[in-house]
Amino acid sequence: MGKQTGAHIVWDWNGTLFHDNDAIIGATNAAFAELGLAPITMERYRALYCVPVPKFYERLLGRLPTEAEWVVMDATFHRYYTEHRVSCGLTTGAAELLAGWRSAGRSQSILSMYGHEDLLPLVRGFGIEAHFIRVDGRTGPSGGSKAEHMTRHLAALTGAAGVDPARTVVIGDAADDAVAARHVGARAVLYTGGSHSRASLEEVGVPVVDTLAEAVVEAERLAA
């Protein structure tokens, strides 16, 4: 892998490396249909989306879903998403960026709120697993926030690979990615191609970019 320079990227998966917007909006609308709600557009989704996901549903329902409603909506979402993710691919240029970062002697990992057992075969299927020193998906129930998950992820990286949180940059498409980065003393760059609108990302106070190539350049700068 060459000389380790100390800079590390933690990549988000859904909406960042994996361009799954169509499957996400379809699955969201399938979940809404279970409650008799009208479908929403991608624009409205990107304007309102937040985590934890029940909070997002509250913005649309005007109230938090009941526990029974959440169970039904969550199951419907994941069933639809699993069927339709097969037509989604990596974000344009992602594979080349991953290979370039690795060949420069730098490390990178994936931290996703997507279920770990589903995430690993997807990453392997795209032939990119070797670029990462760790791949972590969610192992608990759906609907949580990323900060706690990030603490465990970075602790494992610090212990096994000597990753320095101060030279770590999280690249994701959601405000939650920046919150999680701040939680562990890392930096963040947010990408506009996923689940959030540029306007909502700019409120977070970290660099916002329109391409993953720009995100990597920004990560290099932040980790220097």
Side-chain angles (χ1 to χ4, degrees), residues 62-130:
R63 60 174 176 79
L64 275 171
T66 65
E67 200 170 323
E69 286 171 339
W70 164 250
V71 167
V72 170
M73 293 173 84
D74 190 50
T76 303
F77 177 95
H78 284 99
R79 187 170 62 247
Y80 182 102
Y81 180 85
T82 300
E83 284 170 22
H84 290 80
R85 74 181 184 199
V86 292
S87 59
C88 302
L90 292 177
T91 300
T92 305
E96 294 78 7
L97 289 167
L98 295 172
W101 186 263
R102 181 187 177 205
S103 65
R106 303 185 182 107
S107 62
Q108 56 199 332
S109 58
I110 292 176
L111 178 66
S112 175
M113 296 300 280
Y114 192 48
H116 189 71
E117 299 304 318
D118 293 310
L119 175 66
L120 277 183
L122 262 181
V123 173
R124 283 186 189 132
F126 286 116
I128 57 173
E129 188 184 17

Side-chain angles (χ1 to χ4, degrees), residues 111-113 136-138 145-153:
L111 178 66
S112 175
M113 296 300 280
D136 279 335
R138 174 183 49 75
S145 84
K146 209 168 191 173
E148 212 175 296
H149 206 25
M150 182 68 78
T151 302
R152 289 193 295 272
H153 183 72

Side-chain angles (χ1 to χ4, degrees), residues 29-40:
N29 283 329
F32 286 172
E34 290 288 336
L35 263 63
L37 296 173
I40 63 168

Side-chain angles (χ1 to χ4, degrees), residues 136-176:
D136 279 335
R138 174 183 49 75
T139 51
S142 296
S145 84
K146 209 168 191 173
E148 212 175 296
H149 206 25
M150 182 68 78
T151 302
R152 289 193 295 272
H153 183 72
L154 219 56
L157 291 172
T158 304
V163 168
D164 178 3
R167 299 204 60 202
T168 296
V169 180
V170 177
I171 298 178
D173 68 319
D176 198 43

